[in-house]
Amino acid sequence: MFSSLLLFSQVCILLLLTDRSFVVANNQVTSCHIIYCSDGFCRLSGFSRAEVMQRPATCDFLHGPLTSQQAVTVVRDALAAGIEKHFEILYYRKDGQCTTTHSIVYVYTDALK
């Protein structure tokens, strides 16, 4: 367990140092809530960390009228199945501007369980 936490911490530090936009979610519960978001994600979305925390990892709050329902389904299915998935999706910032992002659902599991 300790080595898995260390590896996870190293991955988070690497992401922080590269100024990536990302969220970390708890996939142990059905709603898969966000438990951390990077500063880059806050800048990209226009939402503060407090506004993002505990929202679903599907990022429904970033969906808008032109967001592809097929892409939304890909995200939901990948999170539910616990599989890695690469996709592009049109998200809307808090101010209404839209941005296309290349995203990855990466599932971290404790290999020592």
Side-chain angles (χ1 to χ4, degrees), residues 23-112:
V23 297
V24 176
N26 181 358
N27 200 21
Q28 299 299 311
V29 293
T30 21
S31 54
C32 199
H33 287 116
I34 296 171
I35 57 173
Y36 178 79
C37 65
S38 68
D39 291 339
F41 184 83
C42 292
R43 283 190 299 276
L44 175 74
S45 69
F47 286 90
S48 70
R49 185 168 284 119
E51 292 174 303
V52 173
M53 300 300 282
Q54 296 303 312
R55 290 195 182 217
T58 54
C59 294
D60 296 345
F61 59 100
L62 298 178
H63 299 172
L66 298 177
T67 302
S68 163
Q69 288 307 303
Q70 181 180 4
V72 171
T73 300
V74 166
V75 175
R76 280 197 183 109
D77 291 351
L79 288 168
I83 57 172
E84 184 174 324
K85 197 63 143 177
H86 297 244
F87 60 96
E88 283 191 359
I89 190 166
L90 181 70
Y91 282 139
Y92 288 77
R93 293 175 37 86
K94 184 178 181 179
D95 64 11
Q97 290 181 338
C98 48
T99 180
T100 301
T101 63
H102 177 78
S103 302
I104 302 170
V105 171
Y106 174 76
V107 180
Y108 170 80
T109 58
D110 186 352
L112 298 178

Side-chain angles (χ1 to χ4, degrees), residues 10-22:
Q10 290 169 337
V11 169
C12 286
I13 289 169
L14 177 63
L15 288 170
L16 289 170
L17 292 176
T18 58
D19 195 36
R20 298 286 181 166
S21 174
F22 68 96

